[in-house]
Amino acid sequence: MAAVSFRTSTPADAGEIAHTLELAFDGYRHIAPPGWSPPPVEEDPIRVRLRNPAVWCQVAEADGGLVGHVALIPASLHSSYPIDDPTLAHLWQMFVRREHWGSGIATTLHDAVLDEARRRGYTTFRLYTPAGQLRARGFYEREGWR
């Protein structure tokens, strides 16, 4: 496997982040109700969000392309469950492409987002993940999430 590098994302990464989301959401089909289709993923809203200085995102690159990312937003920016609490961060996204599962990339991204949340002064962190997404839930539980 190629060496992996990590860097803070830029709005120019929005297309590859959108593609990673499409791949991840397609993987939800096995836990979704019959007839469910993944939501459309649009690049422009991701690009806009990445321009916001309150948003932080780190990408992992290998083999000349993006293979994973993690992002945090203030909980007040969450589109479905906003909470106006300046101490609460929301884990907006964390995805690693399937061919890199088990490589340690997720753990490195996870540690980086926790460090960044602390650096920004957040004292509480939340995330949402589908109940049926057992692999992700197991990861988060191993990392101490409740």
Side-chain angles (χ1 to χ4, degrees), residues 1-2 4 6 67 96-108 135:
M1 184 174 288
V4 179
F6 299 86
V67 297
V96 174
R97 293 188 184 182
R98 182 179 299 269
E99 61 271 20
H100 293 275
W101 286 1
S103 68
I105 292 172
T107 301
T108 301
R135 182 179 177 86

mmCIF file of all heavy atoms in Angstrom, residues 1-2 4 6 67 96-108 135:
data_model
loop_
_atom_site.group_PDB
_atom_site.id
_atom_site.type_symbol
_atom_site.label_atom_id
_atom_site.label_comp_id
_atom_site.label_asym_id
_atom_site.label_seq_id
_atom_site.Cartn_x
_atom_site.Cartn_y
_atom_site.Cartn_z
ATOM 1 N N MET A 1 0.843 -1.177 0.000
ATOM 2 C CA MET A 1 0.000 0.000 0.000
ATOM 3 C C MET A 1 0.887 1.239 0.000
ATOM 4 O O MET A 1 1.916 1.280 0.655
ATOM 5 C CB MET A 1 -0.915 -0.018 1.228
ATOM 6 C CG MET A 1 -1.897 1.136 1.225
ATOM 7 S SD MET A 1 -3.109 1.088 2.558
ATOM 8 C CE MET A 1 -4.116 -0.268 2.006
ATOM 9 N N ALA A 2 0.465 2.264 -0.725
ATOM 10 C CA ALA A 2 1.227 3.501 -0.839
ATOM 11 C C ALA A 2 1.237 4.248 0.487
ATOM 12 O O ALA A 2 0.363 4.069 1.332
ATOM 13 C CB ALA A 2 0.614 4.381 -1.928
ATOM 14 N N VAL A 4 0.636 7.126 3.070
ATOM 15 C CA VAL A 4 -0.517 7.998 3.275
ATOM 16 C C VAL A 4 -0.027 9.306 3.871
ATOM 17 O O VAL A 4 0.808 9.315 4.770
ATOM 18 C CB VAL A 4 -1.543 7.338 4.223
ATOM 19 C CG1 VAL A 4 -2.727 8.248 4.455
ATOM 20 C CG2 VAL A 4 -1.998 5.999 3.666
ATOM 21 N N PHE A 6 -1.441 13.297 5.279
ATOM 22 C CA PHE A 6 -2.602 13.986 5.828
ATOM 23 C C PHE A 6 -2.369 15.482 5.730
ATOM 24 O O PHE A 6 -1.247 15.949 5.927
ATOM 25 C CB PHE A 6 -2.805 13.591 7.297
ATOM 26 C CG PHE A 6 -3.059 12.118 7.487
ATOM 27 C CD1 PHE A 6 -2.001 11.233 7.614
ATOM 28 C CD2 PHE A 6 -4.350 11.619 7.505
ATOM 29 C CE1 PHE A 6 -2.230 9.863 7.775
ATOM 30 C CE2 PHE A 6 -4.589 10.261 7.662
ATOM 31 C CZ PHE A 6 -3.521 9.394 7.792
ATOM 32 N N VAL A 67 -8.303 9.500 -0.038
ATOM 33 C CA VAL A 67 -8.816 8.183 0.365
ATOM 34 C C VAL A 67 -9.645 8.246 1.643
ATOM 35 O O VAL A 67 -10.208 7.243 2.070
ATOM 36 C CB VAL A 67 -7.683 7.147 0.512
ATOM 37 C CG1 VAL A 67 -6.988 6.928 -0.837
ATOM 38 C CG2 VAL A 67 -6.686 7.549 1.594
ATOM 39 N N VAL A 96 -13.619 6.752 5.262
ATOM 40 C CA VAL A 96 -12.417 6.224 4.624
ATOM 41 C C VAL A 96 -12.895 5.275 3.532
ATOM 42 O O VAL A 96 -13.803 4.466 3.749
ATOM 43 C CB VAL A 96 -11.516 5.473 5.637
ATOM 44 C CG1 VAL A 96 -10.348 4.795 4.938
ATOM 45 C CG2 VAL A 96 -11.024 6.435 6.721
ATOM 46 N N ARG A 97 -12.332 5.397 2.363
ATOM 47 C CA ARG A 97 -12.739 4.530 1.259
ATOM 48 C C ARG A 97 -12.440 3.069 1.587
ATOM 49 O O ARG A 97 -11.417 2.755 2.201
ATOM 50 C CB ARG A 97 -12.065 4.961 -0.039
ATOM 51 C CG ARG A 97 -12.576 6.338 -0.477
ATOM 52 C CD ARG A 97 -12.093 6.734 -1.827
ATOM 53 N NE ARG A 97 -12.546 8.096 -2.137
ATOM 54 C CZ ARG A 97 -12.297 8.701 -3.276
ATOM 55 N NH1 ARG A 97 -11.604 8.081 -4.226
ATOM 56 N NH2 ARG A 97 -12.738 9.928 -3.477
ATOM 57 N N ARG A 98 -13.343 2.212 1.168
ATOM 58 C CA ARG A 98 -13.333 0.793 1.545
ATOM 59 C C ARG A 98 -11.975 0.124 1.345
ATOM 60 O O ARG A 98 -11.534 -0.666 2.182
ATOM 61 C CB ARG A 98 -14.400 0.045 0.751
ATOM 62 C CG ARG A 98 -14.504 -1.428 1.110
ATOM 63 C CD ARG A 98 -15.587 -2.135 0.323
ATOM 64 N NE ARG A 98 -16.897 -1.590 0.569
ATOM 65 C CZ ARG A 98 -17.740 -2.021 1.507
ATOM 66 N NH1 ARG A 98 -17.392 -3.022 2.283
ATOM 67 N NH2 ARG A 98 -18.919 -1.468 1.660
ATOM 68 N N GLU A 99 -11.292 0.412 0.261
ATOM 69 C CA GLU A 99 -10.020 -0.269 0.001
ATOM 70 C C GLU A 99 -8.941 0.105 1.023
ATOM 71 O O GLU A 99 -7.884 -0.529 1.063
ATOM 72 C CB GLU A 99 -9.539 -0.010 -1.429
ATOM 73 C CG GLU A 99 -9.282 1.440 -1.759
ATOM 74 C CD GLU A 99 -10.494 2.213 -2.301
ATOM 75 O OE1 GLU A 99 -11.647 1.781 -2.098
ATOM 76 O OE2 GLU A 99 -10.271 3.270 -2.932
ATOM 77 N N HIS A 100 -9.219 1.086 1.875
ATOM 78 C CA HIS A 100 -8.258 1.495 2.909
ATOM 79 C C HIS A 100 -8.753 1.191 4.320
ATOM 80 O O HIS A 100 -8.120 1.605 5.294
ATOM 81 C CB HIS A 100 -7.928 2.984 2.748
ATOM 82 C CG HIS A 100 -7.178 3.259 1.491
ATOM 83 N ND1 HIS A 100 -5.810 3.144 1.398
ATOM 84 C CD2 HIS A 100 -7.609 3.590 0.254
ATOM 85 C CE1 HIS A 100 -5.433 3.413 0.163
ATOM 86 N NE2 HIS A 100 -6.508 3.686 -0.548
ATOM 87 N N TRP A 101 -9.863 0.458 4.425
ATOM 88 C CA TRP A 101 -10.344 0.049 5.749
ATOM 89 C C TRP A 101 -9.277 -0.833 6.394
ATOM 90 O O TRP A 101 -8.627 -1.651 5.728
ATOM 91 C CB TRP A 101 -11.644 -0.728 5.640
ATOM 92 C CG TRP A 101 -12.842 0.115 5.315
ATOM 93 C CD1 TRP A 101 -12.884 1.455 5.089
ATOM 94 C CD2 TRP A 101 -14.179 -0.352 5.170
ATOM 95 N NE1 TRP A 101 -14.167 1.857 4.818
ATOM 96 C CE2 TRP A 101 -14.984 0.778 4.864
ATOM 97 C CE3 TRP A 101 -14.786 -1.592 5.276
ATOM 98 C CZ2 TRP A 101 -16.362 0.671 4.668
ATOM 99 C CZ3 TRP A 101 -16.151 -1.690 5.077
ATOM 100 C CH2 TRP A 101 -16.927 -0.562 4.774
ATOM 101 N N GLY A 102 -9.117 -0.684 7.678
ATOM 102 C CA GLY A 102 -8.163 -1.492 8.416
ATOM 103 C C GLY A 102 -6.727 -1.016 8.308
ATOM 104 O O GLY A 102 -5.822 -1.644 8.849
ATOM 105 N N SER A 103 -6.517 0.098 7.649
ATOM 106 C CA SER A 103 -5.153 0.599 7.428
ATOM 107 C C SER A 103 -4.651 1.514 8.538
ATOM 108 O O SER A 103 -3.475 1.870 8.549
ATOM 109 C CB SER A 103 -5.104 1.361 6.102
ATOM 110 O OG SER A 103 -5.878 2.558 6.217
ATOM 111 N N GLY A 104 -5.536 1.927 9.433
ATOM 112 C CA GLY A 104 -5.161 2.891 10.470
ATOM 113 C C GLY A 104 -5.488 4.328 10.104
ATOM 114 O O GLY A 104 -5.336 5.231 10.933
ATOM 115 N N ILE A 105 -5.931 4.558 8.872
ATOM 116 C CA ILE A 105 -6.263 5.923 8.449
ATOM 117 C C ILE A 105 -7.381 6.496 9.309
ATOM 118 O O ILE A 105 -7.322 7.652 9.749
ATOM 119 C CB ILE A 105 -6.629 5.955 6.948
ATOM 120 C CG1 ILE A 105 -5.395 5.659 6.101
ATOM 121 C CG2 ILE A 105 -7.247 7.302 6.562
ATOM 122 C CD1 ILE A 105 -5.675 5.467 4.628
ATOM 123 N N ALA A 106 -8.416 5.718 9.575
ATOM 124 C CA ALA A 106 -9.540 6.226 10.373
ATOM 125 C C ALA A 106 -9.082 6.642 11.759
ATOM 126 O O ALA A 106 -9.505 7.693 12.270
ATOM 127 C CB ALA A 106 -10.645 5.178 10.458
ATOM 128 N N THR A 107 -8.224 5.870 12.372
ATOM 129 C CA THR A 107 -7.739 6.215 13.710
ATOM 130 C C THR A 107 -6.938 7.511 13.685
ATOM 131 O O THR A 107 -7.102 8.374 14.555
ATOM 132 C CB THR A 107 -6.889 5.061 14.284
ATOM 133 O OG1 THR A 107 -7.697 3.889 14.325
ATOM 134 C CG2 THR A 107 -6.373 5.385 15.668
ATOM 135 N N THR A 108 -6.099 7.669 12.675
ATOM 136 C CA THR A 108 -5.316 8.902 12.553
ATOM 137 C C THR A 108 -6.231 10.101 12.332
ATOM 138 O O THR A 108 -6.052 11.153 12.961
ATOM 139 C CB THR A 108 -4.294 8.774 11.412
ATOM 140 O OG1 THR A 108 -3.433 7.672 11.698
ATOM 141 C CG2 THR A 108 -3.468 10.042 11.256
ATOM 142 N N ARG A 135 -20.112 -1.409 11.695
ATOM 143 C CA ARG A 135 -18.662 -1.218 11.607
ATOM 144 C C ARG A 135 -18.279 0.153 12.160
ATOM 145 O O ARG A 135 -17.372 0.267 12.982
ATOM 146 C CB ARG A 135 -18.201 -1.371 10.162
ATOM 147 C CG ARG A 135 -16.703 -1.244 9.997
ATOM 148 C CD ARG A 135 -16.291 -1.437 8.532
ATOM 149 N NE ARG A 135 -14.881 -1.237 8.367
ATOM 150 C CZ ARG A 135 -13.955 -2.160 8.542
ATOM 151 N NH1 ARG A 135 -14.310 -3.377 8.891
ATOM 152 N NH2 ARG A 135 -12.676 -1.885 8.387
#
